[in-house]
Amino acid sequence: MEKKLNSKARFSCWTPLNNQPQNMQLFEERINLVLCWFDLWTDRQRKHMLHNVLIRCTKPQLRYCGNLLTEKLPMTHLDFTVVLPRFLSLYIMSFLCPLDLFSAAQVSWHWRVLSEQDCLWAGRCIRQGWFLPYTPTEKEFGAWKKHFISCLKTLGSAIHREVAQSHWAINQLYDEEKEEEEERLKESLTRQMIRARIQEEKRIALTTRKAWGSRTRLGAPGGGSIQSQANNSTIFRTSGAPDFSQSTSNSLNLEANMGRSSSRVSGQLSLYVSRNTTMQSISTYSHPAACLLLVSNRIPAYELLISGAKADVIVVLYDYQSTHSALLAQVEGVVSGRTFQRLGLLALGGTEEIQLFHNCCLSDRTLPSPEHRDFWEKLSYLVCPTEQGGGIDIFSPCAASPFGVALLQKLATLTGLKVWAPMGLATGSFQNILSEWSDGSIGPFGFSDPQPGGQALRYIIEPVLHGWCRQAEWMEEALGEMKRCLDHRLQQLGLQARGRALGHALWERICLEDLCLAEDLSLALTEGLTVLSKQEKTKPIEFIANFLMKWSDERKSAKENQASNISLPSGNTQTQLDWRGVIVRELQLSEFLYISRLSGLVKAYQEPLTAALNSNRAILSYADINIVLSPVSQILDLNRGFKADLDARLQQWGPEQCVGDVCLKLCTHLRVYTNYLNNYTTALSTIDKCRDTKPLFRAFLKRTDRTLATHMLSLQELLLCPVWRIQEYTTLLQVLTLHTHASHPDYTHLSSALSTLQQYTRFIQKLKRNCERDQLLEETQEMIQGCPRLREGNRQLITSQDAALLNCSNDHASESLRIYEHVADVTLFLLTDILVMTQKQNQHTPFTVVHRSTHTFLASVALANLTLRKITHSRYVKYAFILEGPTHPWICGTEREEDMEHFLCVLSSAIQTTLT
């Protein structure tokens, strides 16, 4: 026997080189010891060990390791069906044509199993109109592929494969004209047979249909005859579901165009004749979803509800302003002929009625109306019979009142299905959905589902349903609070909008100003009265009426003759120039409206205020009038000249007519607009100050604003017209430049004018941003209690961040062991040169879920004297940082890492900008 090694030799570095058995024994023991250590090491330690071993290996040893790794983890010639999940492998194979799937089935047994799945072959068979004549069992394998092969054999023609992205087609060419004639003859006979059968089914349906409320549903006792099935099939097609006979006829037309053989046509005819078998195969393929849920878009937080729908539920979100027919068309487009086990309806409603649509309530009294009856009859055909678990679920608490129970009973009689509804009267918006549900045909004291929200849980996941009920209640309370706060403002805005529309119609459509001061009317009356004075007439009013009619006809004929004498160029150039003419005429029309508004501003405000000042009854001082209205007069004079130039060019409009120089002339005088825009903010503040401090001016505005003379606009809105006009100029010149060829003599001037106007548009946007920033700074100043003045120089608010103010009780410990205490909630306001810290307090309003936030000033520090440092994440603190000021440090933390990173990034940039 071999002598065993003692423990000192075994655990030492000594290796017996002369004794081979002891050498191997010691080597195996050390290998086992190293492997035991390797199993106890972490992943990082194992990688470090492997790295040290591999760098000591020679090239042959590394080559051996590479071969070993290739065997374990092959990098090439990898079978993707083994590595990828099953659904991804099937998705890749779905792009193969049938011949490629046949080839893939010969690769291996695993590939054959994948290539014969029904999900790959069912769609191809259905697109060709080949439906299974039976229902496959759960364990039956490759039924649709076998059916595809058997249908191909009946064609009796060769299959030619063409790669066309993601579909394939079977084309067969016929060389003999005799076969084509026979094919057309057979197709014509088949169509005649189909038309005759459709007419016969319609006649049977009309003669055998029972009275309303007494019919038997398909699949119910006594309804299994061929006659009843034909009736139900006809009504199903009438309700908008896919007409199988029509689809068969369309498929016949398609096959005739593609040159299919006569056996294919006969096969389609046999499918049409055996309607029962076909409809069963369609329902077998479609795998109908369990539930169909109709949701009104007036339901609050319906997005949350839809996101929690179960996998076997189809949700249809319909418009509350829609109609019965529109909703039926939407449902039929979604369901595509499928049947459902349950039908749910979630809409606004109470215990007696349901607000299905706008101005359309579903109740016990309105259900017998034709539109409601037809709507629910057609919807009932999408639901399985009651014997198979079919039913309708109404999410309104109709089962909690006698009138609601009567509605459910009538609806059950109409549809032949059981109708369920909640029984609860829980407080809150939709909390009754979480109560017990009752079968309306039995009544509230009959059979019920004791599970809270029983029927609703068929459609929506339980946590989502509970969360949505609470969210809907909060949203309704918030909307009620908002309506209470904005009710008076909305009412005032509604009155202003109605008055503005009426004034627009009276002023710009009826043209009261032109009616009173029209030159044509004055001229006609003058001529008529002159003629009347020279003659003796006993009926002067009739004479004036006849004279005006005659004068109008003569004037109209003269205008028509003048228009007919104008010759217009023809050809493609005229079509292009018409676009330019339309745009220039629109520019002229909008310029006329713009000038009329500026004229109304001058006549209604500037002239009365100036007249009052000159008569020693001043409403405003000369300085205030000059600040507010003096730039408007200069703009009005400038645009009147621009309109005169436009009118002159339009009177002589032609293919080579130019308007770019006119626009460029306007752009050279835009300094008036520059002064106006720079003074615009001051003018508005002057108006507000004078209205508050001068009662005469307040009464003047109340008397003048939103009248016919001001185009139903206020003084502030009229002062905004020049800003709108600059944007209109830019838009019109962009379109005019687009329709002007580069070789046109007007193109250069238009491009130059457009460039100038675009610069003014950017200038206006810059002024608008500056005003918004100043307004935001003022709002921040008012929000913070006890805050020193923030508006100094060019200071602006950059961003704000809510955070938690922390306090460390053991500063001497290491950072990973420090414990932080939440002291208060703070908000950090970052401005361009300082950082303001405020204490945030939330005050909840009694009896509501509304709360208001208040901010109290704590400290402010200049960014030049501020340094920041992140705190390493530990088990006691996360997403925290330290702001160190000249005298005091602050430890702050955010709830999310994204908020901390964004705020620190912006703060660092602001500090660097301040230092530089």
Side-chain angles (χ1 to χ4, degrees):
M1 295 181 62
E2 298 179 358
K3 184 184 295 184
K4 293 185 179 180
L5 297 174
N6 54 23
S7 59
K8 294 183 179 180
R10 185 182 299 113
F11 295 102
S12 66
C13 297
W14 171 78
T15 303
L17 299 179
N18 297 329
N19 193 345
Q20 188 66 23
Q22 293 182 358
N23 190 347
M24 291 302 299
Q25 180 183 358
L26 186 61
F27 177 74
E28 292 294 337
E29 291 179 355
R30 288 179 176 177
I31 285 292
N32 294 332
L33 183 60
V34 172
L35 292 178
C36 292
W37 292 344
F38 190 82
D39 293 338
L40 298 176
W41 289 340
T42 62
D43 181 69
R44 183 177 179 181
Q45 293 173 341
R46 292 181 180 183
K47 290 178 181 179
H48 185 66
M49 172 65 182
L50 292 176
H51 175 72
N52 292 332
V53 171
L54 290 176
I55 61 177
R56 288 173 171 80
C57 294
T58 60
K59 289 185 178 181
Q61 294 169 352
L62 292 176
R63 193 177 297 111
Y64 171 77
C65 294
N67 296 334
L68 185 61
L69 290 175
T70 304
E71 293 179 1
K72 295 293 184 182
L73 296 174
M75 303 303 296
T76 58
H77 306 289
L78 184 64
D79 186 0
F80 69 91
T81 61
V82 178
V83 180
L84 295 179
R86 182 186 180 90
F87 73 96
L88 288 180
S89 301
L90 292 175
Y91 178 73
I92 294 173
M93 287 189 174
S94 65
F95 292 97
L96 299 178
C97 67
L99 290 181
D100 291 338
L101 287 176
F102 292 147
S103 302
Q106 301 176 5
V107 174
S108 63
W109 176 259
H110 183 61
W111 280 52
R112 178 183 177 184
V113 172
L114 292 177
S115 62
E116 292 183 355
Q117 294 295 319
D118 290 341
C119 60
L120 299 178
W121 293 97
R124 291 174 168 82
C125 293
I126 294 299
R127 284 195 293 270
Q128 301 301 320
W130 301 338
F131 301 98
L132 276 176
Y134 65 96
T135 302
T137 60
E138 295 180 358
K139 297 183 179 181
E140 187 172 357
F141 179 74
W144 284 97
K145 179 180 179 181
K146 295 175 184 177
H147 184 63
F148 182 87
I149 296 174
S150 63
C151 292
L152 281 182
K153 291 180 180 179
T154 59
L155 291 177
S157 59
I159 300 177
H160 301 278
R161 176 168 57 91
E162 296 179 357
V163 178
Q165 293 182 356
S166 64
H167 67 277
W168 68 284
I170 300 177
N171 296 327
Q172 183 177 2
L173 301 177
Y174 294 94
D175 298 329
E176 298 180 2
E177 296 182 357
K178 184 177 180 180
E179 294 182 0
E180 294 180 358
E181 293 178 359
E182 293 177 358
E183 180 68 23
R184 295 191 189 97
L185 180 59
K186 291 180 180 179
E187 180 187 352
S188 178
L189 294 175
T190 304
R191 290 180 179 177
Q192 293 178 4
M193 295 174 61
I194 292 175
R195 292 192 188 99
R197 186 172 294 276
I198 293 175
Q199 293 297 331
E200 181 66 19
E201 285 192 358
K202 288 183 178 180
R203 185 186 64 81
I204 294 174
L206 292 176
T207 56
T208 59
R209 184 174 181 180
K210 297 181 180 181
W212 170 66
S214 60
R215 64 180 181 85
T216 304
R217 290 184 51 82
L218 180 63
S225 62
I226 300 176
Q227 187 68 27
S228 63
Q229 290 178 4
N231 295 339
N232 287 329
S233 177
T234 305
I235 298 172
F236 185 78
R237 292 198 305 271
T238 307
S239 65
D243 191 349
F244 186 74
S245 62
Q246 185 65 30
S247 63
T248 307
S249 177
N250 295 336
S251 63
L252 289 175
N253 297 336
L254 179 60
E255 290 156 9
N257 295 331
M258 294 176 64
R260 300 284 175 86
S261 62
S262 60
S263 61
R264 179 74 179 90
V265 178
S266 62
Q268 289 290 345
L269 180 59
S270 63
L271 285 174
Y272 171 77
V273 175
S274 59
R275 177 180 300 275
N276 250 349
T277 305
T278 306
M279 296 304 291
Q280 290 177 4
S281 63
I282 291 176
S283 62
T284 301
Y285 161 69
S286 60
H287 297 291
C291 302
L292 173 66
L293 179 59
L294 308 181
V295 181
S296 172
N297 63 350
R298 285 294 300 275
I299 299 297
Y302 63 83
E303 298 89 352
L304 176 62
L305 185 72
I306 294 176
S307 66
K310 293 187 176 181
D312 57 350
V313 175
I314 295 181
V315 181
V316 177
L317 179 67
Y318 71 90
D319 189 5
Y320 181 72
Q321 304 292 335
S322 183
T323 58
H324 292 86
S325 58
L327 178 55
L328 276 177
Q330 183 181 0
V331 171
E332 289 164 2
V334 172
V335 302
S336 301
R338 287 172 289 185
T339 57
F340 300 89
Q341 189 177 5
R342 308 290 300 183
L343 171 65
L345 174 62
L346 178 56
L348 298 177
T351 57
E352 299 182 3
E353 62 181 13
I354 303 170
Q355 291 287 341
L356 192 59
F357 300 106
H358 179 63
N359 294 331
C360 180
C361 297
L362 177 64
S363 63
D364 181 24
R365 298 180 299 274
T366 60
L367 181 60
S369 62
E371 54 182 7
H372 282 296
R373 287 176 51 188
D374 183 66
F375 175 75
W376 287 104
E377 281 183 351
K378 292 179 179 179
L379 280 182
S380 64
Y381 290 112
L382 304 177
V383 186
C384 297
T386 306
E387 293 77 9
Q388 300 179 10
I392 300 177
D393 300 318
I394 305 295
F395 284 64
S396 298
C398 297
S401 68
F403 293 101
V405 171
L407 170 62
L408 299 182
Q409 292 175 352
K410 288 187 177 181
L411 191 59
T413 305
L414 174 62
T415 59
L417 300 168
K418 285 188 177 181
V419 184
W420 295 76
M423 299 174 56
L425 291 174
T427 12
S429 175
F430 294 93
Q431 297 294 328
N432 44 58
I433 297 177
L434 303 177
S435 63
E436 298 181 2
W437 287 58
S438 173
D439 181 3
S441 62
I442 300 177
F445 300 102
F447 176 75
S448 63
D449 190 348
Q451 182 183 4
Q455 298 298 326
L457 296 180
R458 292 175 177 263
Y459 303 87
I460 310 298
I461 301 174
E462 184 175 1
V464 177
L465 181 62
H466 286 264
W468 170 76
C469 290
R470 292 191 296 270
Q471 187 73 19
E473 182 180 0
W474 295 340
M475 287 189 65
E476 286 200 348
E477 185 174 355
L479 290 175
E481 183 70 17
M482 185 181 299
K483 182 180 179 181
R484 185 183 63 82
C485 297
L486 301 178
D487 192 16
H488 64 285
R489 296 186 182 180
L490 294 177
Q491 185 178 6
Q492 183 179 3
L493 289 176
L495 292 175
Q496 293 177 3
R498 290 194 294 271
R500 188 172 301 174
L502 179 60
H504 176 77
L506 291 175
W507 184 261
E508 299 181 5
R509 299 297 176 87
I510 302 179
C511 299
L512 294 178
E513 186 180 12
D514 297 339
L515 183 64
C516 298
L517 304 175
E519 296 180 0
D520 295 343
L521 181 59
S522 302
L523 180 62
L525 288 174
T526 303
E527 292 181 2
L529 293 174
T530 303
V531 176
L532 180 62
S533 62
K534 296 179 181 179
Q535 299 178 3
E536 295 182 357
K537 296 293 182 181
T538 58
K539 298 180 179 180
I541 297 179
E542 294 182 357
F543 174 78
I544 291 294
N546 295 330
F547 179 82
L548 292 177
M549 291 292 296
K550 183 179 179 180
W551 187 86
S552 176
D553 295 338
E554 292 177 356
R555 191 68 176 267
K556 182 178 181 181
S557 60
K559 289 183 178 180
E560 291 178 354
N561 294 332
Q562 182 180 1
S564 61
N565 294 331
I566 299 176
S567 60
L568 296 175
S570 60
N572 296 332
T573 307
Q574 176 64 21
T575 304
Q576 181 181 359
L577 291 177
D578 280 342
W579 284 105
R580 299 186 73 245
V582 167
I583 299 168
V584 174
R585 284 190 293 272
E586 183 180 354
L587 178 62
Q588 181 198 28
L589 181 61
S590 59
E591 188 70 18
F592 171 76
L593 179 61
Y594 174 56
I595 291 177
S596 64
R597 289 181 176 178
L598 292 183
S599 301
L601 181 60
V602 172
K603 292 179 181 179
Y605 293 97
Q606 186 174 10
E607 293 180 358
L609 291 175
T610 305
L613 181 64
N614 296 332
S615 62
N616 295 328
R617 296 180 179 179
I619 300 176
L620 284 183
S621 63
Y622 177 78
D624 293 336
I625 296 175
N626 189 29
I627 291 174
V628 176
L629 298 171
S630 62
V632 179
S633 303
Q634 302 175 8
I635 293 175
L636 181 59
D637 296 337
L638 175 63
N639 284 87
R640 280 175 175 170
F642 175 65
K643 183 180 180 300
D645 295 337
L646 279 180
D647 294 340
R649 298 298 172 89
L650 280 174
Q651 288 178 359
Q652 301 176 358
W653 185 256
E656 299 298 326
Q657 186 62 268
C658 299
V659 293
D661 55 341
V662 178
C663 299
L664 191 60
K665 179 182 176 182
L666 174 67
C667 292
T668 56
H669 297 85
L670 285 181
R671 182 177 295 274
V672 179
Y673 278 88
T674 304
N675 297 333
Y676 176 81
L677 293 174
N678 290 327
N679 187 62
Y680 176 69
T681 307
T682 306
L684 290 182
S685 60
T686 302
I687 294 173
D688 296 336
K689 181 185 67 175
C690 294
R691 186 185 63 248
D692 296 337
T693 57
K694 298 181 179 181
L696 290 178
F697 183 65
R698 187 186 310 116
F700 174 77
L701 290 180
K702 187 176 181 180
R703 184 173 60 253
T704 310
D705 281 350
R706 295 185 176 88
T707 58
L708 292 178
T710 62
H711 295 258
M712 302 305 297
L713 298 174
S714 64
L715 176 59
Q716 292 84 353
E717 292 171 342
L718 287 173
L719 291 177
L720 192 57
C721 288
V723 180
W724 294 340
R725 190 56 183 164
I726 292 295
Q727 298 174 355
E728 291 176 356
Y729 282 148
T730 305
T731 303
L732 290 173
L733 286 187
Q734 282 178 344
V735 182
L736 186 58
T737 307
L738 181 64
H739 290 283
T740 302
H741 196 267
S743 59
H744 196 277
D746 200 21
Y747 184 80
T748 304
H749 295 300
L750 287 176
S751 301
S752 179
L754 178 60
S755 177
T756 304
L757 289 174
Q758 287 176 345
Q759 292 179 3
Y760 264 83
T761 303
R762 291 191 290 268
F763 172 66
I764 293 174
Q765 293 176 355
K766 181 180 179 181
L767 291 178
K768 184 178 179 181
R769 287 194 298 268
N770 292 336
C771 291
E772 291 176 352
R773 291 174 179 174
D774 295 341
Q775 183 179 3
L776 183 60
L777 190 61
E778 290 292 338
E779 293 176 355
T780 305
Q781 178 79 51
E782 296 176 358
M783 185 190 309
I784 304 174
Q785 301 176 4
C787 180
R789 181 172 177 79
L790 297 178
R791 192 168 183 177
E792 296 178 358
N794 296 325
R795 181 179 295 168
Q796 296 177 357
L797 178 65
I798 301 176
T799 185
S800 61
Q801 177 62 50
D802 294 335
L805 185 62
L806 306 178
N807 182 26
C808 181
S809 57
N810 48 353
D811 296 337
H812 303 289
S814 60
E815 290 189 357
S816 60
L817 298 178
R818 290 179 182 177
I819 300 177
Y820 296 88
E821 180 185 3
H822 187 169
V823 178
D825 292 331
V826 297
T827 302
L828 304 175
F829 294 92
L830 177 61
L831 288 84
T832 51
D833 58 341
I834 62 173
L835 178 67
V836 178
M837 178 181 295
T838 63
Q839 182 177 358
K840 181 181 178 181
Q841 295 178 348
N842 294 328
Q843 298 177 355
H844 289 77
T845 306
F847 307 105
T848 63
V849 295
V850 181
H851 67 275
R852 298 178 181 178
S853 300
T854 59
H855 298 269
T856 305
F857 177 78
L858 289 181
S860 64
V861 59
L863 296 183
N865 301 328
L866 182 67
T867 58
L868 58 92
R869 179 170 58 89
K870 290 184 180 180
I871 297 178
T872 306
H873 294 350
S874 66
R875 60 184 299 182
Y876 302 107
V877 65
K878 287 185 178 180
Y879 319 135
F881 53 92
I882 299 178
L883 300 175
E884 296 182 357
T887 59
H888 190 277
W890 295 278
I891 304 175
C892 302
T894 60
E895 295 183 356
R896 300 189 308 167
E897 184 179 6
E898 295 82 2
D899 297 339
M900 182 190 70
E901 295 294 340
H902 176 264
F903 180 74
L904 293 184
C905 179
V906 176
L907 179 59
S908 301
S909 301
I911 292 175
Q912 293 296 329
T913 305
T914 305
L915 294 177
T916 55

